[in-house]
Amino acid sequence: MSTSKPIAILGGTGDQGLGLALRFAAAGQRVVIGSRKSERALEAAEAVAKQVEGAQVEGRENAAATAGAEIVILSVPFEHTAGTLKSIRDALEPGQIVVSMGVPLATAVGDGPMRMVGVWQGSCAELVAGLVPEGVHTVSAFQNVSAHRLQTLSDPVDCDVVVSGPKQPRARISELCGLVPGLRAIDGGPLSNARIVESVTALLIGLNVRYKVPEGIGIRFTGLP
Amino acid sequence: MSTSKPIAILGGTGDQGLGLALRFAAAGQRVVIGSRKSERALEAAEAVAKQVEGAQVEGRENAAATAGAEIVILSVPFEHTAGTLKSIRDALEPGQIVVSMGVPLATAVGDGPMRMVGVWQGSCAELVAGLVPEGVHTVSAFQNVSAHRLQTLSDPVDCDVVVSGPKQPRARISELCGLVPGLRAIDGGPLSNARIVESVTALLIGLNVRYKVPEGIGIRFTGLP
């Protein structure tokens, strides 16, 4: 049993959060699934434990999941980003890394998922960075990875993850990506680049529809050293 | 000698325009390189003819290059987009396809190439669409393809091209992509998606710097049928 600090996945009951929970658990990481209701978090944790032998996984209410975690992944719909952060604010501590994977899709205002709404700060990730307490790091990652591919543990994910944010936390999240088969971290530079990465998700959603690929199209960068 | 209407590449004396001219000429297409000064266009045409045996390539001033072309590719720096369109407006005719490959990089205002300026219309491509005469189609393509890779005729380009715009012209430009080894057209849907594709270029420029890849990093989509 690993005694390292866990990875909290808030909104881990949703498709993409659950996919990440499965992958990290399968990679031997301690995972705590967070949800607004602890019963739903427990259900999701049980689902992970059923699929991954020896999984170190728990389920808790969001703030309880956040307390003591090394990494806190925000896997909630964009419109719940600020509210979720407010609800966990007291549990956050300097040194923790909050990972923003939200995308300001226009579904937030009742429009379609192939379009976006503008965010004053530039991106969901920058919105997050403005709301976390001082000393908590914000990293942008995982926006372009399809939930279906994450959840299909038998197959490698086959997708690059652009990781943006301050250097050290970015390196830590990149390391985490490397634990998942077929996931490759790409050095996405400063957090402000999240606005580009987030918008790629809207493009991918459109591609999934036009090419009829429910399992989700991914991206790869070519020509890397 | 093909008698089909040519592809005009305005700004074809620049790195990326010249790369496209080389590739299309090598694919047996008639190419007319356009420039503000006909002498410079002629020089670029000669450079293409030297590299590609049997190339059907000419060089003309922009408006003269535009007249009678089937496709007019705008390969000028973003800040010259509107000015170039005004200079060729009288030469454009209904049915022609104008291809926007410009990216509103912040270099347009003296800032760096990894950041962008906002465009009122949403993207360079939509700016173009608002400036061409009625009946002229606008398609967005080629923003993410590195000049160096295009110019290295010995190697396949190894990059996807997201093509956005109205259906028929989009299909025509996609067909054109298919003639270049290693270039694959991706159905990018409506022209408004150009704002995403254009921003990816700024991300790629940053990646080229961080990963020290002067030949240019490209993108591929995974999971396509």
Side-chain angles (χ1 to χ4, degrees):
Chain A
M1 194 82 177
S2 164
T3 55
S4 60
K5 288 182 177 180
I7 301 164
I9 305 177
L10 312 191
T13 57
D15 278 348
Q16 216 177 0
L18 190 64
L20 282 179
L22 284 165
R23 291 289 184 171
F24 292 141
Q29 301 296 296
R30 276 186 69 196
V31 171
V32 183
I33 291 178
S35 181
R36 275 182 292 186
K37 301 192 174 178
S38 57
E39 313 91 76
R40 292 206 58 212
L42 281 165
E43 274 171 35
E46 275 166 30
V48 170
K50 214 179 239 175
Q51 273 200 69
V52 178
E53 213 185 294
Q56 301 181 57
V57 59
E58 295 168 77
R60 294 183 196 162
E61 183 273 330
N62 281 331
T66 299
E70 179 202 0
I71 294 162
V72 180
I73 301 178
L74 280 177
S75 178
V76 299
F78 167 70
E79 59 272 31
H80 297 157
T81 304
T84 302
L85 279 170
K86 279 171 200 163
S87 76
I88 64 166
R89 208 176 190 287
D90 292 340
L92 285 168
E93 280 178 10
Q96 284 182 309
I97 303 172
V98 172
V99 178
S100 171
M101 58 187 290
V103 175
L105 298 177
T107 46
V109 295
D111 190 20
M114 305 178 203
R115 284 182 290 275
M116 302 178 76
V117 289
V119 179
W120 188 270
Q121 293 83 345
S123 61
C124 176
E126 289 160 285
L127 168 78
V128 169
L131 290 174
V132 298
E134 212 176 314
V136 174
H137 312 291
T138 303
V139 167
S140 152
F142 303 120
Q143 296 96 335
N144 303 330
V145 187
S146 104
H148 187 282
R149 288 196 194 199
L150 284 172
Q151 291 194 15
T152 310
L153 285 178
S154 51
D155 296 335
V157 184
D158 193 15
C159 191
D160 284 345
V161 172
V162 182
V163 185
S164 306
K167 205 167 177 184
Q168 295 289 342
R170 186 171 78 204
R172 177 67 187 107
I173 301 304
S174 299
E175 189 183 41
L176 202 61
C177 290
L179 299 176
V180 178
L183 218 59
R184 180 177 62 168
I186 300 291
D187 178 357
L191 195 67
S192 51
N193 279 339
R195 65 192 74 181
I196 303 175
V197 181
E198 292 173 7
S199 72
V200 167
T201 302
L203 183 69
L204 289 173
I205 291 171
L207 288 175
N208 293 343
V209 172
R210 285 192 292 282
Y211 285 96
K212 300 183 177 66
V213 181
E215 15 346 327
I217 288 167
I219 56 162
R220 285 284 196 198
F221 293 86
T222 63
L224 287 163
Chain B
M1 194 81 178
S2 164
T3 55
S4 61
K5 288 182 176 179
I7 301 165
I9 304 177
L10 311 191
T13 57
D15 278 349
Q16 215 176 2
L18 190 65
L20 282 179
L22 284 164
R23 291 289 183 171
F24 291 142
Q29 301 294 297
R30 278 186 68 196
V31 170
V32 183
I33 291 177
S35 182
R36 276 182 291 185
K37 299 192 173 177
S38 57
E39 313 90 77
R40 293 206 58 212
L42 281 165
E43 275 170 35
E46 275 166 30
V48 171
K50 214 178 237 175
Q51 274 201 68
V52 178
E53 212 186 295
Q56 302 181 56
V57 59
E58 296 167 77
R60 294 183 195 161
E61 182 274 330
N62 281 330
T66 299
E70 180 202 358
I71 295 162
V72 179
I73 301 178
L74 280 177
S75 178
V76 299
F78 168 69
E79 58 272 32
H80 297 157
T81 305
T84 303
L85 278 170
K86 278 171 201 162
S87 76
I88 64 165
R89 210 176 188 286
D90 292 341
L92 285 169
E93 280 178 10
Q96 283 182 311
I97 304 172
V98 171
V99 178
S100 171
M101 57 187 290
V103 175
L105 298 176
T107 47
V109 296
D111 191 20
M114 305 178 202
R115 284 181 291 275
M116 303 178 75
V117 290
V119 179
W120 188 270
Q121 293 84 345
S123 61
C124 176
E126 289 161 286
L127 169 78
V128 169
L131 290 174
V132 298
E134 212 177 313
V136 174
H137 312 291
T138 303
V139 167
S140 152
F142 303 120
Q143 296 96 336
N144 303 330
V145 187
S146 102
H148 187 281
R149 288 197 194 199
L150 284 172
Q151 290 193 17
T152 311
L153 285 178
S154 51
D155 295 337
V157 184
D158 194 13
C159 191
D160 284 344
V161 172
V162 182
V163 185
S164 306
K167 204 167 177 184
Q168 294 289 342
R170 185 171 80 204
R172 177 67 186 107
I173 300 304
S174 298
E175 188 183 41
L176 202 61
C177 290
L179 299 176
V180 178
L183 218 60
R184 179 177 63 167
I186 300 291
D187 179 357
L191 195 67
S192 51
N193 279 339
R195 64 191 75 181
I196 304 174
V197 181
E198 292 173 8
S199 71
V200 168
T201 301
L203 183 68
L204 290 173
I205 290 171
L207 288 175
N208 293 343
V209 172
R210 284 191 292 282
Y211 284 96
K212 300 184 177 65
V213 181
E215 39 306 357
I217 288 167
I219 56 162
R220 285 284 196 197
F221 293 87
T222 64
L224 287 163

